[in-house]
Amino acid sequence: MDLEESLEEFRSHWRNEIQGAQSGLERSPARKRRRSGGSQEERAGYGEPTAWKVLPGSPTRGNREEGQGSRYLEFAESLLEEKSIPVLTAPTPLGETGEPTSLVEQLIDDLNEINDIPFFDIQLPYEIALQIFQFLGRKELGRCAQVSKTWKVLAEDEVLWYRICQMEGFLTDSRLSACSSWKKALKESHSNESMLRMNWKNRTGAVSQLHYELGKVLSDVHSCDGVVLAGYTSGDVRLWDTRVSCFDAPHLKATSDLSDLGQKLPVSFVQINRSLAVAAYENGTIDVWSLLSGREPIHHYQHNQKIQVLALCPESTAIATASGFQIKVESTDERGFWHSASIFHTQKLVNFLHLINGNGAHPLVVVAAEEMVFLLKAEESEKVLHSTYGHPVTCLDVSSTQAAFGVKSFGWISNSGNKIHLYNLQTGHCVTTMGNSTGDFTCVNLKDSPPNLIVTGNRDRRVRVHDTRCNKSVCSFYGHHLGVSAVRMDDWKVVSGGEEGLTCVWDQRMSTKLWEIHARHPVRYIWSNSHCLITANIPDDKNPRGASIMDDDLTAHRR
């Protein structure tokens, strides 16, 4: 009974307040007109009754607020009389300018409040914090993930780890599609790379020998991304793909095979890139095959004399050949038709020739003829890059922006020894000069070496790694019995081949030999990547004992 009496007393008290509020609404216009003569309490409250301040959610002032307040009064009366409760709609929120905000803007504001990231003494939106974390590497992201749960979620965002995989070059791996996240894909890629490095050091792997028929002496070898092109003295040109398990060697037909004569000429030089394969024969004939169309040549041209050097641009379809004192450049136009792009003439016989993409439509030809190094380009005058009388160039290699070559010093002016010169192809100026060796530099590798490093081979049986920033030899390896004939390096290992047929693998950081393999003939070509090593042993004598099946010594010269 006490509960019912207290409830009835509360209802009566609430009715009196509601009646007072309604009477205040009816008298409000008159009070506003008599505002100047009102009491002090009314002037302090702007002529509004005290009931407005008692009800919860009561409006302040204004016509719109009064209409909204009356709706609250109706809601309260329905509660007292136990009637059906009317539905109250929430007032439209106002923005900073006083205008109603849209639902999309309100949703964005709510998301920003939820996704705020604690960043030291401020709160940042998730997108801004993600932009800051994009400047961090793998180790920094791992440390940030240990700060808090919020930073852990941010540091493991897929966008960040996709960018790291892209920077480290793991996006081209087809095995990454099986991983659930980019972070796991990067972890598996690094574990595979560590396993491959350990296999390199322990010489763990399969050895395959690309043999050919007996009596076919190997003339020249070149490779691109694991595809090997080999030319023989019998005139045959073979193509191996070492990326597959079955090493079938398709035979590329020469122009002489398609003619009525049917006489095969010995192959002098071969070159290959990702789209073309080129072979030069001893009579000055050049055949070009497409790696996509078939085994028959797509282009053919000829020099009047024997070809001395053959070069193929790695990024385009330009081919350069040197015969006598003439250099000819063949390339395709916009419609794919072959034509002679340019013809150059030199005063001396060409020893080394390289072809790279120039700034314009024509390729840039880098030529070494005895003691002179030229830069040749169509529609431009000849530019002499280096010339020292009596100091011939012994080796040459070219990257996209630089050229490195060895210069031999002898006579009464050979007080500083043989050196490696590094030139900038854009400015034509000498960047640095390295080395001070008594032997001739027989080989140099610039385009495949890590940045700011050059690996060289010398006749003094040493392999040296030079730093272009300090003009000093970083490390030197000694392990060949004769001169070094081929070199190649990456970020941690160096591979070298010698005239005696010895192939050595060195650890660059430890300056030690990991292992070696021996063959009968000099190592003239070396190519390697993270999981494969290709070497070619090419004999100097193209008609050695054992090349014929009638000889008593059946040792083949064909690997």
Side-chain angles (χ1 to χ4, degrees), residues 172-204:
T172 57
D173 196 345
S174 59
R175 295 171 296 180
L176 297 182
S177 59
C179 299
S180 59
S181 65
W182 288 109
K183 184 178 179 180
K184 292 183 179 179
L186 183 66
K187 185 178 180 180
E188 291 185 4
S189 300
H190 277 281
S191 62
N192 293 334
E193 185 178 1
S194 178
M195 180 189 65
L196 287 175
R197 181 173 298 188
M198 187 61 63
N199 292 340
W200 266 100
K201 294 182 178 180
N202 297 330
R203 197 185 173 184
T204 304

Side-chain angles (χ1 to χ4, degrees), residues 6 12 58 96 176 267 274 283 344 414 422 479-480:
S6 61
S12 61
S58 59
E96 296 180 356
L176 297 182
V267 178
R274 295 183 178 180
N283 65 339
F344 307 99
S414 60
L422 181 65
H480 292 278

Side-chain angles (χ1 to χ4, degrees), residues 271-273 276-278 310-320 355:
Q271 289 285 319
I272 187 175
N273 60 11
L276 296 179
V278 185
L310 171 66
L312 176 62
C313 186
E315 297 86 9
S316 65
T317 58
I319 303 170
L355 198 62

Side-chain angles (χ1 to χ4, degrees), residues 203 207-211 218 479-483 485 496-504 515-526 533-540 555-559:
R203 197 185 173 184
V207 179
S208 302
Q209 296 180 355
L210 305 180
H211 287 281
L218 187 63
H480 292 278
H481 306 297
L482 298 178
S485 55
S496 61
E499 295 284 349
E500 75 283 355
L502 192 66
T503 302
C504 301
W515 47 271
E516 63 181 23
I517 54 177
H518 185 268
R520 179 176 179 180
H521 300 294
V523 181
R524 299 298 182 189
Y525 181 79
I526 290 177
L533 172 63
I534 299 175
T535 61
N537 300 86
I538 302 175
D540 295 329
T555 303
H557 299 252
R558 61 190 186 278
R559 289 186 294 181

Side-chain angles (χ1 to χ4, degrees), residues 368-531:
E370 296 185 5
E371 70 272 2
M372 302 182 68
V373 180
F374 301 95
L375 294 182
L376 304 177
K377 194 172 184 180
E379 301 177 357
E380 294 183 8
S381 60
E382 177 185 290
K383 183 178 180 181
V384 178
L385 193 66
H386 173 82
S387 178
T388 304
Y389 182 76
H391 294 251
V393 176
T394 57
C395 57
L396 173 66
D397 193 29
V398 176
S399 65
S400 58
T401 58
Q402 293 179 330
F405 50 89
V407 177
K408 180 179 180 180
S409 299
F410 59 89
W412 59 275
I413 55 176
S414 60
N415 53 357
S416 58
N418 303 312
K419 292 185 177 296
I420 293 289
H421 295 263
L422 181 65
Y423 276 78
N424 190 313
L425 297 179
Q426 298 177 354
T427 61
H429 296 159
C430 182
V431 178
T432 182
T433 303
M434 300 163 290
N436 186 7
S437 173
T438 57
D440 301 340
F441 286 98
T442 55
C443 53
V444 58
N445 194 320
L446 172 64
K447 61 179 179 293
D448 301 319
S449 300
N452 303 317
L453 294 177
I454 297 177
V455 58
T456 61
N458 201 286
R459 198 175 294 275
D460 62 359
R461 300 173 289 180
R462 286 189 176 273
V463 180
R464 295 177 177 87
V465 178
H466 302 272
D467 192 340
T468 60
R469 296 166 293 184
C470 60
N471 303 336
K472 294 182 179 180
S473 177
V474 178
C475 54
S476 178
F477 310 110
Y478 181 83
H480 292 278
H481 306 297
L482 298 178
V484 182
S485 55
V487 288
R488 189 181 177 95
M489 71 173 298
D490 56 14
D491 56 346
W492 70 274
K493 69 177 181 296
V494 178
V495 184
S496 61
E499 295 284 349
E500 75 283 355
L502 192 66
T503 302
C504 301
V505 180
W506 313 83
D507 192 330
Q508 178 186 344
R509 296 184 178 92
M510 300 299 294
S511 298
T512 56
K513 181 190 294 185
L514 298 176
W515 47 271
E516 63 181 23
I517 54 177
H518 185 268
R520 179 176 179 180
H521 300 294
V523 181
R524 299 298 182 189
Y525 181 79
I526 290 177
W527 182 88
S528 65
N529 57 7
S530 61
H531 60 277

